[in-house]
Amino acid sequence: MRITIWARSIWRDAPTLLAAAGWLVFSAGVLQAAEAGPDATVKAAYAATIRSLASTGPKAAPPPWQPPHRDRLMSKDLAALFARDDLYQDESGEIGHLGADPFISGQDGEVKSLRVVVTEAPAAGRALVTASFLSFRQRVSVRFRMVEEGGSWRIDDIVNRVEGKDYAVREALSQPYECGSFMKKPCQR
């Protein structure tokens, strides 16, 4: 008898219980998204970097500035600049505007003892995140200008410091190219 009453009670309250469960799942998702600060995107980019550095050959894992990572990790503007640089390389057979991996601030490297911190707290949809790590026993620091776009934090610029001078990836990628379909001047290969 008690089981029957309990079962009827559960059945009668099922819509309320389902709505409450749905609200909890939705709230958890919103809370998780709200907790994902600008440093989470940079950490995801370094996870892709570490996979890319560890793999070789025709099925090597792509770096974070290439698909499928690029559109998920970078602002639309920065992703478009990287895509344009890739197109130039494909069409010309030459190296694009970046002669090094901006995530490791060099042509070769490794990422050991990674530390990612928010160095300028989010304000007005912008933040600054710094990644520091050891690469071949040398301390490397890379700064990321972050922008909130589409409800997520995205990398909007990458700044490397080499021999006391800052190099912004956005500035390098914004330079004109000698040729390319986007320049309306075909490349000679």
Side-chain angles (χ1 to χ4, degrees):
M1 180 74 149
R2 285 185 182 183
I3 294 175
T4 305
I5 293 170
W6 178 76
R8 281 186 199 149
S9 174
I10 292 289
W11 183 253
R12 184 185 69 234
D13 295 334
T16 304
L17 291 171
L18 285 173
W23 178 252
L24 284 173
V25 169
F26 172 76
S27 297
V30 168
L31 189 59
Q32 183 179 7
E35 290 177 1
D39 55 328
T41 303
V42 174
K43 288 175 184 174
Y46 274 97
T49 297
I50 291 166
R51 282 191 303 275
S52 178
L53 291 171
S55 64
T56 58
K59 294 198 179 213
W65 65 85
Q66 291 182 341
H69 311 296
R70 178 169 55 214
D71 292 335
R72 181 175 52 87
L73 299 172
M74 297 183 179
S75 68
K76 288 179 183 172
D77 290 343
L78 187 60
L81 289 171
F82 270 106
R84 185 178 81 146
D85 199 63
D86 285 349
L87 182 59
Y88 168 77
Q89 291 178 58
D90 290 345
E91 291 180 358
S92 70
E94 301 291 329
I95 294 176
H97 284 322
L98 300 179
D101 179 334
F103 288 85
I104 60 172
S105 191
Q107 290 179 337
D108 296 314
E110 61 184 359
V111 178
K112 303 253 180 183
S113 304
L114 176 65
R115 185 167 174 248
V116 177
V117 295
V118 176
T119 46
E120 283 183 19
R126 300 205 169 273
L128 184 68
V129 173
T130 301
S132 59
F133 53 92
L134 292 174
S135 179
F136 303 133
R137 296 189 195 149
Q138 298 291 316
R139 176 64 50 196
V140 176
S141 265
V142 180
R143 289 176 293 160
F144 295 86
R145 293 186 182 124
M146 307 297 292
V147 64
E148 202 168 13
E149 187 176 87
S152 300
W153 285 102
R154 310 285 178 147
I155 298 168
D156 197 43
D157 201 1
I158 306 167
V159 181
N160 288 225
R161 189 165 191 83
V162 180
E163 296 178 1
K165 187 171 188 234
D166 287 347
Y167 293 93
V169 166
R170 177 182 281 281
E171 182 180 335
L173 292 175
S174 295
Q175 300 302 311
Y177 293 84
E178 295 176 13
C179 63
S181 58
F182 50 89
M183 298 290 293
K184 297 183 178 33
K185 181 180 176 189
C187 294
Q188 305 296 322
R189 284 191 90 169

